[in-house]
Amino acid sequence: MRTTLDIDEELLKNVTQLPGHQNKSKAVCEALREYVQEKKIEQLIALMGKVEIEEDWRKLRDGELGEER
C-alpha cells in the first residue's frame, strides 16, 4: 500500500545504513513490526498480577477437552 509519510531524513538515512535495511520501505515496515511487538509486550506486562490462573489449569483444560470427545 502506498502512503505519504513525513519522516526525518537523518533518521531514515541512519536506518537505511543498518545491515539488512537498505530499502526505505523495508526499513519502515520492520520498524513498525518492532513497535507493534514492543507495545504488545507492554500490554502483557501491564496485566501481570491482574489475571488469576488456576493452579491446575492443565487438569481443567484436559477435563474440558475430555467432555467434548
Side-chain angles (χ1 to χ4, degrees):
M1 170 177 69
R2 288 194 168 276
T3 189
T4 302
L5 299 171
D6 185 20
I7 300 174
D8 179 41
E9 289 182 38
E10 189 65 28
L11 179 60
L12 191 55
K13 179 182 172 186
N14 288 335
V15 171
T16 56
Q17 290 177 348
L18 295 172
H21 294 96
Q22 292 78 23
N23 178 303
K24 292 178 185 179
S25 293
K26 289 181 181 180
V28 171
C29 285
E30 180 64 25
L32 288 171
R33 275 189 211 96
E34 289 179 13
Y35 177 80
V36 169
Q37 182 179 12
E38 182 180 318
K39 291 301 176 183
K40 286 181 178 183
I41 290 171
E42 287 176 8
Q43 288 174 341
L44 287 173
I45 290 172
L47 290 175
M48 194 179 320
K50 296 180 181 178
V51 177
E52 290 186 33
I53 299 176
E54 294 286 334
E55 290 185 34
D56 294 334
W57 64 270
R58 284 192 177 114
K59 289 180 185 177
L60 291 170
R61 180 191 65 188
D62 293 342
E64 290 173 5
L65 292 175
E67 292 174 4
E68 293 177 6
R69 292 183 186 171

